[in-house]
Amino acid sequence: FWLFPARRSRMDALGGFACACAGLVLLLLLAAAHRLGLLYQLLHKADPKSGRHGGELVAEVLRAHGVRYLFALAGGHVSPVLVACEKLGLRVVDTRHEATAVFAADAVARLSGRIGVAVVTAGPGVTNTVTAVKNAQMAESPVLLLGGAAATLQRGRGALQEIDQLSLFKTLCKRRTSVRTVRDIVPALRQAIVTAQSGTPGPVFVELPLDVLYPFHVVEKELGQATGPGGLRRSLVNWYLRNYVHDLFAGAWEPCDMTPLPVQVPLATAEQVQQVAELVSRAAKPLVLLGSQVTLPPTPVEELRAALEALGLPCYLGGMARGLLGKDSTLHVRQNRRDALRQADLVILAGTVCDFRLAYGRVLSRRSAVVAVNRDRAQLLRNSDVFWKARLAIQGEGARNARDAGPRATCHVPRATHMPRAQHRAMCHQLPQRRAKPGWRLPKNRPPVRMWVAVAGSVPGFGPRAASVGRPVAQRLAPQTPVIALVGNDACWSQISREQVALLGSNVACGLEYTDYHAVAEGLGAKGFVVGGDGGEGVDAVLRAAQATCRQGRPVLVNALIGKSDFRQGSISV
């Protein structure tokens, strides 16, 4: 070659190219082996004789996370989950619509502070949940939705109830994932649950394909073997199917950690807490507006209530925070909020958002120093610099901020020019009275146990069944559970009619019949009563009879036939 350097150069180049090609082929082979699970199967084996199934892993993870109830509508895609949960002692509450299952899981999450779980079958079972999932998102409720799906190997082949389910929840869920192998069930669920509970809580969706839930022998049988003329093609297809099933179950039953992952919650800095304390100490007419978010874990509501009582600030309660201070609290101001806000020199928005409920911030005075505390950055500054501006905006947990700021604020001696706190509270109570809205009051020293419709405005009764299992000490609201359900039956969509008739001159689609809801209840095994209308019994007698029936362990529905009123006449329900 020393006589022909050009030839040697070409040979070297060819040799280098050959080595590069060999390396590329090797990388491609390794990538293919990894994708087919061949590398993983070298160290982890499947057990074809095992009768275990993925539903058992789902149940074990839920139990490890303190889940006691799950709400479901049965379907073949998710049967292993329901059966396994029942065997482990988790209560499976069956519903008649998938949205109801998610509404109930949402309610349990709010009432218990734990993750709420709903299980639905594939396709329409999943699509039916969309409204309820959006409601949970807007209510900042940690809900885990488990949805069945077609087998992974059948994707794109026209399997029963096969749709792109993950895309449905792109804007609704904090996390959405599809489990690919049985060994992925545990880590997928652990990560989904901690995501739902961290930061601003919200719903998550985990898709469980058919083949990760059923036992090895069932999946193997359903996949079958290639038939037809023999040859290399059939052999390759059969090898692929066998390898697919073995990879699906490889390492499935090896011991793994199922304990909850640490929940991450944004907290105010020490400097921000000190700033709040100083603002409170200098304020002459402070007000606190508490929203649903302050009732979220991890800070117990008892600690929040104690901190508020130590501060002695007048409080307006909204959403799930209603009932927080007890029925006899002198801090709780129930009316005159708009007038009080105009006069306040400090307003603390703890988990309260400047949306339509606060006229988008227009009710706040420009003269007031506003402290906004919220876990969600977007909600924290909603409509700010348009109708209001925050003196201090804190992305953090409102309950802990109040608890930590309390001791620092109360240690400051108020200036002589300040209005005494007791006098300020009395002033808030004595402002011109407005029509009182119906409210829920609880005995002192008892945390909230009531449900409140979220900002999404979903009207269906999402709380009844869930409240019955989430709060067994309360009167329960579930079929075959002692509860009194009161239906105010005015035979009209009055909330819409009152504006539609006045503004547009027609009652179309708003007028209804006086439906016999008491008869419907009787058909479902409950006891029905009717009050009002021609020949109706007195209200007191009916309610006493309803209470007596309820005490005997039977659910009751009272169909109260009511007339029209001018309540909020002319207002627009948007």
Side-chain angles (χ1 to χ4, degrees), residues 97-153:
H97 194 281
E98 290 84 358
T100 303
V102 178
F103 279 132
D106 172 8
V108 159
R110 299 195 219 177
L111 292 171
S112 69
R114 298 189 179 97
I115 188 79
V117 182
V119 183
V120 300
T121 196
V126 170
T127 61
N128 280 346
T129 68
V130 169
T131 296
V133 171
K134 182 62 180 180
N135 188 77
Q137 180 195 44
M138 298 186 74
E140 299 176 349
S141 183
V143 171
L144 170 63
L145 174 60
L146 302 177
T152 304
L153 199 60

Side-chain angles (χ1 to χ4, degrees), residues 289-544:
L289 274 63
L290 297 154
S292 297
Q293 204 179 86
V294 299
T295 65
L296 296 173
T299 302
V301 292
E302 292 83 3
E303 293 185 14
L304 172 60
R305 180 169 52 234
L308 293 171
E309 290 172 347
L311 284 168
L313 306 183
C315 298
Y316 285 93
L317 308 179
M320 292 288 289
R322 285 180 167 89
L324 174 70
L325 296 174
K327 65 176 183 178
D328 299 320
S329 173
T330 59
L331 302 181
H332 184 192
V333 187
R334 294 178 174 85
Q335 289 90 40
N336 317 309
R337 187 176 69 177
R338 185 180 294 268
D339 295 327
L341 286 171
R342 288 197 188 102
Q343 300 183 28
D345 59 354
L346 172 65
V347 177
I348 300 176
L349 304 176
T352 299
V353 182
C354 285
D355 54 18
F356 70 94
R357 292 167 293 183
L358 284 180
Y360 309 99
R362 286 193 293 259
V363 297
L364 300 177
S365 171
R366 291 285 184 178
R367 297 185 300 273
S368 302
V370 179
V371 176
V373 187
N374 202 291
R375 298 189 187 196
D376 188 290
R377 182 70 181 176
Q379 298 284 54
L380 174 67
L381 299 174
R382 180 76 68 193
N383 297 307
S384 65
D385 294 324
V386 178
F387 299 115
W388 69 286
K389 186 175 181 63
R391 174 76 63 85
L392 178 62
I394 302 174
Q395 185 177 4
E397 186 196 349
R400 178 171 293 189
N401 188 71
R403 186 194 67 183
D404 294 345
R408 304 188 189 194
T410 54
C411 70
H412 291 74
V413 178
R415 297 177 182 176
T417 57
H418 286 186
M419 179 182 292
R421 294 277 164 80
Q423 182 181 344
H424 174 46
R425 291 196 301 270
M427 180 201 72
C428 292
H429 285 288
Q430 293 171 6
L431 287 168
Q433 294 294 313
R434 298 180 183 272
R435 183 189 296 270
K437 296 180 181 179
W440 289 259
R441 300 181 182 180
L442 300 171
K444 194 173 183 180
N445 300 324
R446 179 178 294 178
V449 294
R450 51 166 301 282
M451 296 300 303
W452 190 258
V453 177
V455 187
S458 297
V459 178
F462 55 86
R465 192 96 192 241
S468 70
V469 296
R471 291 285 187 177
V473 298
Q475 280 193 312
R476 299 179 171 184
L477 305 175
Q480 302 308 319
T481 309
V483 57
I484 298 176
L486 178 63
V487 178
N489 185 356
D490 64 353
C492 183
W493 295 112
S494 294
Q495 184 179 12
I496 310 303
S497 176
R498 66 174 178 239
E499 76 200 38
Q500 183 174 302
V501 173
L503 297 177
L504 302 175
S506 173
N507 196 44
V508 61
C510 294
L512 306 174
E513 298 285 342
Y514 276 105
T515 305
D516 292 339
Y517 294 113
H518 55 287
V520 175
E522 295 273 356
L524 295 173
K527 175 62 177 175
F529 293 90
V530 61
V531 62
D534 296 338
E537 301 179 65
V539 175
D540 291 342
V542 168
L543 292 181
R544 281 195 295 269

